[in-house]
Amino acid sequence: MNTIPFQHVFSQHFAYLSSQAFDSSFNLNEEISYLNQIIFNSQSTTAPMSMAADWSVFDLLLNLARLGLSLNPEKKLAYVLPRYVETGEMALKLYPGYRGEIAIATNFKIIQNTMSTLVYEKDQFKVQVATNDVEHFVTSLSLDPNVRGVCSGGYCRSVLTDGSVHVAYMSIEELDAIAQNQIEMNMGNTPWNSIWRSEMRRVALYRRAAKDWRNMITASNETKYALLSTEY
C-alpha cells in the first residue's frame, strides 16, 4: 500500500500532465509536493482529502497545468477544497484566488494591469460613458466615515493588452449581499465579518472583473474546460 495518497495517479499520468503545462515555468513535481502537503494537513480534519476520488486529483492537476497556476502557498494563486459530487464521492476542486484570476488573465494576454478601488460618499466619482473609464478624485485618505463618508461601492479598472480600458463596477448593496451570504454560511467566522471587510470588498471587485476577463479568452476546448471547472 502506498504511503503517499494518490502516488499511483501521479506516476500513471505524469508524462501527460507535464505535456499539458501552460509554459515551461510549470513544475509538476513541485505542484505534486504542494498538493501532498495540503492533503497531509487535511488528515486531522473532518474531511481528510486522502478520501477523494482519483479522477478529481487528476483533473485538479490538469487544470492547474493548463491555466498556468500554482499551489505554492507563498504565491496565493490557487487553493484546494473538497466537495461532494452527485455520486457521493469526495472530489478535490481547484479554486483560483483573486491573484490567480489576475495570473490567468495575464497568462492569456487579456490584461496588462488591474486595480480595484473602493468609492466613498464624499469622493468625486464620475463614469465617462464614451470611453468606459472613470474619474475618481479623493480629498482624504481617511477611512473615518465622518471624514470621507461611508463606502458606496467600487470598481476594478483594467488596462487590456490592446490598450483599451475595462471597468467592472459593484454597488455597496451588491458588496453587502456577498458579505451577508459569507457571514451566514460561515457562522460569522469570515474576514467579511472583521476589520478586513474593506480588503474583501476589493477582492470581490477583482472577482467581478475576472468574470469578464475569462469571457475574453480565446482558447482551445481543453482550456475552456479548465476555465469552466474552476469557476468561483
mmCIF file of all heavy atoms in Angstrom, residues 2-10 32 36 39-40 43 49-51 54 57:
data_model
loop_
_atom_site.group_PDB
_atom_site.id
_atom_site.type_symbol
_atom_site.label_atom_id
_atom_site.label_comp_id
_atom_site.label_asym_id
_atom_site.label_seq_id
_atom_site.Cartn_x
_atom_site.Cartn_y
_atom_site.Cartn_z
ATOM 1 N N ASN A 2 0.540 2.202 -0.870
ATOM 2 C CA ASN A 2 1.306 3.428 -0.961
ATOM 3 C C ASN A 2 1.126 4.267 0.298
ATOM 4 O O ASN A 2 0.024 4.421 0.798
ATOM 5 C CB ASN A 2 0.871 4.247 -2.180
ATOM 6 C CG ASN A 2 1.249 3.569 -3.482
ATOM 7 O OD1 ASN A 2 2.327 2.997 -3.579
ATOM 8 N ND2 ASN A 2 0.374 3.635 -4.465
ATOM 9 N N THR A 3 2.239 4.800 0.795
ATOM 10 C CA THR A 3 2.147 5.676 1.963
ATOM 11 C C THR A 3 1.761 7.095 1.559
ATOM 12 O O THR A 3 1.263 7.856 2.370
ATOM 13 C CB THR A 3 3.490 5.709 2.711
ATOM 14 O OG1 THR A 3 4.522 6.128 1.815
ATOM 15 C CG2 THR A 3 3.833 4.319 3.251
ATOM 16 N N ILE A 4 2.010 7.469 0.306
ATOM 17 C CA ILE A 4 1.628 8.787 -0.207
ATOM 18 C C ILE A 4 0.322 8.640 -0.972
ATOM 19 O O ILE A 4 0.256 7.893 -1.958
ATOM 20 C CB ILE A 4 2.706 9.362 -1.132
ATOM 21 C CG1 ILE A 4 4.033 9.507 -0.383
ATOM 22 C CG2 ILE A 4 2.265 10.713 -1.684
ATOM 23 C CD1 ILE A 4 5.174 9.980 -1.240
ATOM 24 N N PRO A 5 -0.742 9.313 -0.525
ATOM 25 C CA PRO A 5 -2.022 9.203 -1.230
ATOM 26 C C PRO A 5 -1.872 9.617 -2.697
ATOM 27 O O PRO A 5 -1.160 10.570 -3.009
ATOM 28 C CB PRO A 5 -2.916 10.179 -0.462
ATOM 29 C CG PRO A 5 -2.286 10.329 0.869
ATOM 30 C CD PRO A 5 -0.809 10.206 0.643
ATOM 31 N N PHE A 6 -2.505 8.880 -3.562
ATOM 32 C CA PHE A 6 -2.583 9.194 -4.991
ATOM 33 C C PHE A 6 -1.244 9.069 -5.720
ATOM 34 O O PHE A 6 -1.102 9.571 -6.839
ATOM 35 C CB PHE A 6 -3.167 10.591 -5.216
ATOM 36 C CG PHE A 6 -4.446 10.828 -4.466
ATOM 37 C CD1 PHE A 6 -4.489 11.751 -3.422
ATOM 38 C CD2 PHE A 6 -5.594 10.113 -4.767
ATOM 39 C CE1 PHE A 6 -5.666 11.967 -2.702
ATOM 40 C CE2 PHE A 6 -6.779 10.312 -4.057
ATOM 41 C CZ PHE A 6 -6.799 11.241 -3.013
ATOM 42 N N GLN A 7 -0.276 8.396 -5.134
ATOM 43 C CA GLN A 7 1.011 8.215 -5.811
ATOM 44 C C GLN A 7 0.824 7.515 -7.148
ATOM 45 O O GLN A 7 1.509 7.843 -8.134
ATOM 46 C CB GLN A 7 1.957 7.411 -4.922
ATOM 47 C CG GLN A 7 3.351 7.219 -5.510
ATOM 48 C CD GLN A 7 4.079 8.523 -5.726
ATOM 49 O OE1 GLN A 7 4.104 9.367 -4.834
ATOM 50 N NE2 GLN A 7 4.654 8.704 -6.910
ATOM 51 N N HIS A 8 -0.120 6.586 -7.205
ATOM 52 C CA HIS A 8 -0.372 5.875 -8.458
ATOM 53 C C HIS A 8 -0.933 6.810 -9.529
ATOM 54 O O HIS A 8 -0.651 6.645 -10.718
ATOM 55 C CB HIS A 8 -1.340 4.715 -8.213
ATOM 56 C CG HIS A 8 -2.661 5.128 -7.622
ATOM 57 N ND1 HIS A 8 -2.781 5.596 -6.333
ATOM 58 C CD2 HIS A 8 -3.916 5.154 -8.155
ATOM 59 C CE1 HIS A 8 -4.053 5.886 -6.091
ATOM 60 N NE2 HIS A 8 -4.762 5.620 -7.184
ATOM 61 N N VAL A 9 -1.725 7.796 -9.105
ATOM 62 C CA VAL A 9 -2.258 8.776 -10.062
ATOM 63 C C VAL A 9 -1.122 9.618 -10.621
ATOM 64 O O VAL A 9 -1.031 9.846 -11.841
ATOM 65 C CB VAL A 9 -3.309 9.682 -9.371
ATOM 66 C CG1 VAL A 9 -3.808 10.754 -10.350
ATOM 67 C CG2 VAL A 9 -4.470 8.852 -8.851
ATOM 68 N N PHE A 10 -0.236 10.077 -9.729
ATOM 69 C CA PHE A 10 0.882 10.905 -10.155
ATOM 70 C C PHE A 10 1.771 10.142 -11.134
ATOM 71 O O PHE A 10 2.168 10.668 -12.184
ATOM 72 C CB PHE A 10 1.713 11.356 -8.951
ATOM 73 C CG PHE A 10 0.931 12.048 -7.868
ATOM 74 C CD1 PHE A 10 1.288 11.903 -6.534
ATOM 75 C CD2 PHE A 10 -0.165 12.846 -8.181
ATOM 76 C CE1 PHE A 10 0.577 12.544 -5.531
ATOM 77 C CE2 PHE A 10 -0.889 13.485 -7.182
ATOM 78 C CZ PHE A 10 -0.518 13.326 -5.851
ATOM 79 N N ILE A 32 2.954 18.703 -7.254
ATOM 80 C CA ILE A 32 2.571 17.482 -6.549
ATOM 81 C C ILE A 32 3.010 17.560 -5.091
ATOM 82 O O ILE A 32 2.274 17.156 -4.179
ATOM 83 C CB ILE A 32 3.182 16.244 -7.243
ATOM 84 C CG1 ILE A 32 2.481 15.990 -8.579
ATOM 85 C CG2 ILE A 32 3.075 15.011 -6.351
ATOM 86 C CD1 ILE A 32 3.111 14.901 -9.414
ATOM 87 N N ASN A 36 0.527 17.337 -1.980
ATOM 88 C CA ASN A 36 0.714 16.353 -0.918
ATOM 89 C C ASN A 36 0.678 17.009 0.463
ATOM 90 O O ASN A 36 0.113 16.445 1.414
ATOM 91 C CB ASN A 36 2.039 15.618 -1.106
ATOM 92 C CG ASN A 36 1.961 14.525 -2.150
ATOM 93 O OD1 ASN A 36 0.894 13.977 -2.408
ATOM 94 N ND2 ASN A 36 3.097 14.198 -2.765
ATOM 95 N N ILE A 39 -2.917 17.849 1.324
ATOM 96 C CA ILE A 39 -3.632 16.622 1.707
ATOM 97 C C ILE A 39 -3.213 16.177 3.106
ATOM 98 O O ILE A 39 -4.059 15.818 3.939
ATOM 99 C CB ILE A 39 -3.371 15.509 0.675
ATOM 100 C CG1 ILE A 39 -4.003 15.878 -0.671
ATOM 101 C CG2 ILE A 39 -3.929 14.173 1.169
ATOM 102 C CD1 ILE A 39 -3.623 14.960 -1.807
ATOM 103 N N PHE A 40 -1.924 16.221 3.383
ATOM 104 C CA PHE A 40 -1.420 15.835 4.700
ATOM 105 C C PHE A 40 -2.024 16.716 5.792
ATOM 106 O O PHE A 40 -2.433 16.230 6.852
ATOM 107 C CB PHE A 40 0.102 15.926 4.727
ATOM 108 C CG PHE A 40 0.705 15.658 6.077
ATOM 109 C CD1 PHE A 40 0.848 14.358 6.552
ATOM 110 C CD2 PHE A 40 1.116 16.709 6.894
ATOM 111 C CE1 PHE A 40 1.386 14.108 7.810
ATOM 112 C CE2 PHE A 40 1.655 16.471 8.150
ATOM 113 C CZ PHE A 40 1.790 15.172 8.613
ATOM 114 N N GLN A 43 -5.573 15.800 7.047
ATOM 115 C CA GLN A 43 -5.829 14.481 7.610
ATOM 116 C C GLN A 43 -6.465 14.521 9.006
ATOM 117 O O GLN A 43 -7.165 13.590 9.397
ATOM 118 C CB GLN A 43 -4.541 13.662 7.647
ATOM 119 C CG GLN A 43 -4.028 13.281 6.263
ATOM 120 C CD GLN A 43 -5.079 12.589 5.420
ATOM 121 O OE1 GLN A 43 -5.700 13.216 4.560
ATOM 122 N NE2 GLN A 43 -5.302 11.317 5.677
ATOM 123 N N MET A 49 -8.598 14.826 2.813
ATOM 124 C CA MET A 49 -8.595 14.828 1.354
ATOM 125 C C MET A 49 -8.067 13.544 0.755
ATOM 126 O O MET A 49 -8.230 13.312 -0.455
ATOM 127 C CB MET A 49 -7.797 16.028 0.844
ATOM 128 C CG MET A 49 -8.414 17.373 1.171
ATOM 129 S SD MET A 49 -7.474 18.736 0.442
ATOM 130 C CE MET A 49 -8.325 20.146 1.150
ATOM 131 N N SER A 50 -7.447 12.718 1.559
ATOM 132 C CA SER A 50 -6.969 11.430 1.048
ATOM 133 C C SER A 50 -8.125 10.524 0.641
ATOM 134 O O SER A 50 -7.917 9.513 -0.040
ATOM 135 C CB SER A 50 -6.112 10.725 2.104
ATOM 136 O OG SER A 50 -6.860 10.523 3.295
ATOM 137 N N MET A 51 -9.341 10.890 1.032
ATOM 138 C CA MET A 51 -10.519 10.103 0.679
ATOM 139 C C MET A 51 -11.113 10.508 -0.676
ATOM 140 O O MET A 51 -12.090 9.926 -1.125
ATOM 141 C CB MET A 51 -11.596 10.273 1.766
ATOM 142 C CG MET A 51 -11.149 9.881 3.163
ATOM 143 S SD MET A 51 -10.642 8.147 3.260
ATOM 144 C CE MET A 51 -12.202 7.323 2.939
ATOM 145 N N ASP A 54 -9.871 9.463 -7.261
ATOM 146 C CA ASP A 54 -8.657 9.605 -8.061
ATOM 147 C C ASP A 54 -8.855 10.576 -9.228
ATOM 148 O O ASP A 54 -7.965 11.382 -9.535
ATOM 149 C CB ASP A 54 -8.231 8.245 -8.618
ATOM 150 C CG ASP A 54 -7.674 7.318 -7.542
ATOM 151 O OD1 ASP A 54 -7.563 7.751 -6.377
ATOM 152 O OD2 ASP A 54 -7.359 6.152 -7.875
ATOM 153 N N VAL A 57 -8.324 14.229 -8.484
ATOM 154 C CA VAL A 57 -6.927 14.624 -8.293
ATOM 155 C C VAL A 57 -6.275 14.855 -9.653
ATOM 156 O O VAL A 57 -5.550 15.835 -9.864
ATOM 157 C CB VAL A 57 -6.166 13.558 -7.492
ATOM 158 C CG1 VAL A 57 -4.690 13.912 -7.369
ATOM 159 C CG2 VAL A 57 -6.801 13.386 -6.121
#
